[in-house]
Amino acid sequence: MTVMSIARFERFFRAAAGLDVDKNDLKRYSDFVDAKLYDLLTVAQATAKANGRDIIRTCDLPITKGLQESIHHFRKIDQDVELKPILEQLATHPALDRTPDEETEAAYPDIIGGLSLALAQCFKILHPDLKNPQTQHWDETRAVFDLLL
């Protein structure tokens, strides 16, 4: 990731939840994004299959009300931070039994942005005074997402 990308990543987490993250957190963040996008696509794949389709549509993704609100809030923050182009690079997925359509793939950056915003806010819910997340904080927050998504 370029220095410019790291700066945007840091600025995003400051804007989203007042957190100071650094380049060492990028690997944890990238792993989180990969895992949660895969989890969403796994459920979407099952929905598409149950509906007799060979493609995954956006409506197949299990987007909750809270995640939808986080996506909308991310879009507002992203006007200043401009993280979306970086998220487009992170928005990859492993091979699936069902192929996502173009509309679904185009939604990945916003979905990842919403997950990122929810992640940042989850740190603050679990640890209101937290400024610089450590491994323990990442593990706890990841456990919450694993439980819910």
Side-chain angles (χ1 to χ4, degrees), residues 16-65:
L19 294 171
D20 293 325
V21 296
D22 57 36
K23 65 181 181 179
N24 296 325
D25 291 312
L26 285 176
K27 173 74 171 122
R28 292 183 194 121
Y29 171 73
S30 180
D31 290 347
F32 169 82
V33 166
D34 289 345
K36 293 302 111 192
L37 183 59
Y38 179 75
D39 290 348
L40 291 171
L41 287 168
T42 299
V43 173
Q45 179 175 257
T47 301
K49 182 177 181 179
N51 288 314
R53 283 186 273 103
D54 290 334
I55 61 166
I56 296 172
R57 294 187 182 150
T58 307
C59 62
D60 295 325
L61 292 165
I63 305 294
T64 63
K65 177 183 175 277

Side-chain angles (χ1 to χ4, degrees), residues 70-115:
S70 292
I71 291 168
H72 290 301
H73 191 193
F74 164 76
R75 289 176 181 150
K76 290 177 187 174
I77 290 175
D78 195 48
Q79 291 175 358
D80 295 329
V81 179
E82 297 177 356
L83 191 64
K84 195 171 179 178
I86 298 164
L87 298 182
E88 288 171 352
Q89 296 170 13
L90 292 176
T92 61
H93 61 80
L96 302 165
D97 292 341
R98 304 285 188 273
T99 304
D101 64 12
E102 288 181 22
E103 180 182 330
T104 303
E105 288 184 338
Y108 291 174
D110 283 335
I111 293 167
I112 293 170
L115 286 168

